[in-house]
Every structure is written in C-alpha cells, then in structure tokens.
Amino acid sequence: MATPPTLYQLTQSLTSLGLPTPHASFLTPILTPPGSTQRTAPLAALTATAKIRLLAADISLPNTLHASTPTFPPNISNVRTVSAKLEKDLVVQVLDVEDLGKSKWEQIEALESERKGETTKGREIIRVVPNEENQNPSTASTQALGTQAGGQRQGGKEGPYKLLMQDCKGTKVYGFELKRVEKIGYPPGMGIGCKLLLRRGTQVARGMVLLEPERTVVLGGRIEGLDKAWREGREQRLRELVEKERVERGGDGDGDED
C-alpha cells in the first residue's frame, strides 16, 4: 500500500506552483477529510483540490496562510517614495478593478446594454440570446463577445487597469497596469478575489505598485461572495461617483463625465 502524502509534501507541491504556503490547519481537512473511510488520494489530486480551495479563499483571514508568508512592506503606501522594489515574491488578492481607459459613463452605458442583453459592434447592435435551459448567454454568443473583447484589448481600447490589492495581513495597496498584463480585466475574466503573484523586483512608485507582465502572474480564482457583491453593485457605484464628481465641479452634468 502506498504511503499517504504528508503535509510537507502537499505544501511543497503547492509552493512549486507559485502559490503561497498555506497554514497547516487549512490543509489538514484536505489531507484527512473528516469521517472519510476511503483510501487517501494521490498527491496530484490533493494538490489540485488544495489549489482550488486556496484560490477561492480569503487570504486575509486567520489560519489561511502560514505566518511566515511575505507581506507588503510597512511604508508601501508612502507617496513620498519616488521609487522602490519588492524584496520578495508576494501573493495578493484583488478587491477592486477599474478601467482607466474608459469614462465612467461609457462603462455605465456598457452595463445597461449588457443588462438588456445587447452589445455593440460599430453601429451594429448584437443581441445576446439566452440559453433556453438556464437563461445564460449561449456558448456561441459568449465566445463571440470574448473574441470581440480580446480584439479591443490587443488594439489598446481597454485599460490600463487600476487594481486594489490586499495581502494576507489585510494591507491594501493600489496597483497600476504599466504594461498590458494578460488576464487582468473585469469579471468574469478576472474575478474579485483573484490571486496575483508579484515577483521580487516589482516596482513601487509614489505608493502604487507598477504591474508589468515580466513580474506579475495572474494565478486565478475568485472569492464568490465578494465577486457577486462587486458585480451587482458596480453600476450603482459608478453612478454615485459620477454624481459626486458633478457636485464637486458645481455643474449640472450632461452625461459626459470621465
């Protein structure tokens, strides 16, 4: 009979994938499920299960990651620091994302069209037809929209993106997409709670992390509760920001705010 994988082996298997070191109490239920009478799963299967759960977990909660997990330096948000670099690889989770290449009204209009089941291509209106079984857009429509969005990004029509990131100690820092980073974007492409690996040497300037493809790895995942709340409240937040900016400018606004 094969020897069951150990906690050390599972931990090493996860960190080899660029994932942070989980707390022992996070991995124990995966290694020895309560009430399980079945044979222990092989290391590859346990690693896959642990990876899925880790990417879906809130890393700022106690006993999720090991106490030695690297975090943002204490002075990370100091706007007086002209230039600095992260000294260690660091895993963070995304709490918010903003497309700085589109005005807020453009984003509101896009959300309204999406809610109506429509999108636009030039002057042509494309209606997204729901699937009869679950009322979700059909696979063909979804693929078409994904292809269209991909084309826009390659053409520089989307982004750069600004992210609100959080480390395992709860420290929150903004990140700016200095160069296009594959997979960074709006949900559902990149979910809220998605984990990013910021490699050692990542630039920090004026309190903001500069995201570049050479040192930013999108690990994936999402925190379901946060992701759902973000998507459901996004349009309202945008409208509130537009109204706030209008009031601050002391104008009536005509729907063309940034």
Side-chain angles (χ1 to χ4, degrees), residues 117-176:
E118 297 176 349
T119 186
T120 58
K121 184 178 181 181
R123 294 185 177 181
E124 179 184 3
I125 297 178
I126 304 172
R127 182 168 295 278
V128 181
V129 182
N131 184 295
E132 291 182 0
E133 293 182 359
N134 55 21
Q135 295 299 302
N136 288 326
S138 67
T139 301
S141 298
T142 304
Q143 290 175 343
L145 293 177
T147 300
Q148 180 183 343
Q152 290 176 340
R153 287 180 184 175
Q154 291 172 4
K157 296 182 180 179
E158 291 189 357
Y161 288 94
K162 179 181 176 182
L163 310 180
L164 177 60
M165 307 178 297
Q166 182 184 45
D167 68 13
C168 64
K169 291 282 184 67
T171 303
K172 299 175 183 178
V173 180
Y174 281 106
F176 176 75

Side-chain angles (χ1 to χ4, degrees), residues 107-119 128 137 145 187-188 231 234:
Q107 296 179 59
I108 290 171
E109 290 170 351
L111 289 171
E112 289 176 340
S113 296
E114 182 181 339
R115 190 170 62 249
K116 295 174 183 177
E118 297 176 349
T119 186
V128 181
L145 293 177
R231 290 203 267 179
R234 183 183 169 207

Side-chain angles (χ1 to χ4, degrees), residues 156-216:
K157 296 182 180 179
E158 291 189 357
Y161 288 94
K162 179 181 176 182
L163 310 180
L164 177 60
M165 307 178 297
Q166 182 184 45
D167 68 13
C168 64
K169 291 282 184 67
T171 303
K172 299 175 183 178
V173 180
Y174 281 106
F176 176 75
E177 192 182 34
L178 190 63
K179 297 180 182 178
R180 179 77 181 101
V181 177
E182 191 66 27
K183 298 181 182 179
I184 284 184
Y186 279 133
M190 182 187 74
I192 300 302
C194 175
K195 308 304 186 288
L196 304 182
L197 170 62
L198 307 178
R199 294 195 181 280
R200 177 184 177 184
T202 295
Q203 297 279 348
V204 181
R206 302 292 185 183
M208 184 171 290
V209 177
L210 304 181
L211 305 175
E212 301 178 86
E214 297 83 3
R215 291 187 172 86
T216 306

Side-chain angles (χ1 to χ4, degrees), residues 216-229:
T216 306
V217 180
V218 179
L219 298 173
R222 63 167 46 85
I223 301 174
E224 290 298 337
L226 295 181
D227 186 75
K228 183 174 184 290

